[in-house]
Amino acid sequence: MSGLTRREFLKRTLASGAAAGLVLSGGAGMARAASSQVGTFYDLTKCDGCGGTKTPRCVSACREENRSNFPDPVPPDRIEFYWPNKKKEDWQDRKDLTTRLTPYNWTFVQGVSVEHNGRRVEVFIPRRCMHCHNPPCANLCPFGAQSKSPEGPVLINKDLCLGGAKCRDVCPWGIPARQAGVGLYMKIAPKYLGAGVMYKCDLCYHRVKKGGVPACVEACPRKAIVFGDLNSVRETARKRAGEIGGFLYGDKENGGTSTFYVSPVPFEKINMELQAQRSKQPDPGAPGFPLMPVGVGNFLDSANGIMAGILVAPVAGAVAAGYAAYKTMKEG
């Protein structure tokens, strides 16, 4: 592969195997001009979790915005297991849960107490999709259901998603959440194909593409969330980290993201506290959110990522072609 990087090799492999999928999704994953993209910066020195209230303002605003613009997933009362698995993820009885990510709740706030420089520091961390620059979830979706929008948010096409959860498997943070009993697989082969639809933050894309800002940004009472041009937001985050002698996260992790955190304490220590917190709370529903990794390289640059791309490409092409035929038959 002289003159060809591993990443370019993967991109070409995916492009050749999943061309039909890219056509169906509008090819949005190819548009990644950083100058036209948006970014978000969370200043953890300002976020206080809205004073320890049960539901922080950013979480409430996110739920209200999405429920007013997009219908909640409505599965049947009885959801059958799909072959050969004997599992299903059904959140319809827990749709009001706000302490973790679910198909009905796309952001939440984690609180930890960290010892640093001889004192305890309480940190609140809003969590949702990081909207990576080169998202493994979009590049490795076997159904071509995810894409990187020109503005930057990573989107899930709910009409294409079969809920295979490959996106969650390759996401370093395990962000997408699955709801069984809804989506395309219910119309095709509910007992044998797929497992529902994956859901996650889309950064209020319906607002962003019209020049607006996400609902969570508007709702933050302490102005702890900065939103705007990606390059400007990144520089703001870097400057803030320098001002407070703090720590920056999201700039390099997973090959770079459009979400930046600045903390007064090291993220390694935050991660250790989150791990300890989770060990005391074995119930995956509380908090059940995958921990913040530190120093994560992009999955697509790893040997496993390249192999996954090679294996997924022909599947994506076949599924996309099959879906095109299905649509043609239905419309005919």
Side-chain angles (χ1 to χ4, degrees), residues 236-253:
T236 299
R238 289 173 176 171
K239 181 179 179 181
R240 179 59 175 163
E243 288 174 347
I244 67 170
F247 304 86
L248 176 64
Y249 185 88
D251 192 13
K252 305 295 184 183
E253 284 71 22

Side-chain angles (χ1 to χ4, degrees), residues 15-182:
S16 63
L22 288 172
V23 170
L24 284 172
S25 64
M30 294 299 182
R32 292 184 182 138
S35 61
S36 64
Q37 292 187 8
V38 296
T40 312
F41 157 43
Y42 290 99
D43 189 340
L44 302 187
T45 68
K46 295 182 179 180
C47 180
D48 65 351
C50 288
T53 58
K54 182 179 179 181
T55 306
R57 293 280 294 278
C58 61
V59 178
S60 295
C62 174
R63 291 170 66 87
E64 291 169 9
E65 180 71 21
N66 286 304
R67 284 186 170 177
S68 64
N69 286 277
F70 310 104
D72 279 343
V74 183
D77 292 335
R78 174 183 168 79
I79 303 175
E80 295 191 38
F81 294 106
Y82 65 97
W83 182 91
N85 298 296
K86 289 296 182 181
K87 61 181 180 180
K88 58 187 175 184
E89 295 176 44
D90 183 11
W91 295 91
Q92 58 184 320
D93 293 334
R94 293 175 285 173
K95 62 177 62 176
D96 293 328
L97 187 64
T98 60
T99 55
R100 63 157 291 160
L101 299 182
T102 78
Y104 303 89
N105 191 68
W106 298 357
T107 186
F108 83 111
V109 178
Q110 288 176 310
V112 295
S113 179
V114 178
E115 185 173 345
H116 182 58
N117 290 336
R119 64 188 182 95
R120 296 299 288 185
V121 180
E122 195 168 20
V123 182
F124 292 92
I125 316 157
R127 305 302 301 273
R128 45 89 169 146
C129 177
M130 298 289 285
H131 298 287
C132 301
H133 298 324
N134 188 30
C137 59
N139 291 327
L140 296 181
C141 174
F143 313 122
Q146 297 206 33
S147 61
K148 177 80 169 173
S149 68
E151 296 84 356
V154 179
L155 311 175
I156 298 177
N157 185 335
K158 298 173 182 61
D159 294 328
L160 278 178
C161 182
L162 291 173
K166 173 61 70 176
C167 55
R168 184 171 60 196
D169 293 343
V170 300
C171 173
W173 303 275
I175 295 293
R178 176 167 56 192
Q179 174 60 51
V182 295

Side-chain angles (χ1 to χ4, degrees), residues 211-229:
V213 303
C216 60
V217 178
E218 280 188 353
C220 180
R222 294 181 58 85
K223 307 300 180 185
I225 315 174
V226 176
F227 177 82
D229 172 76

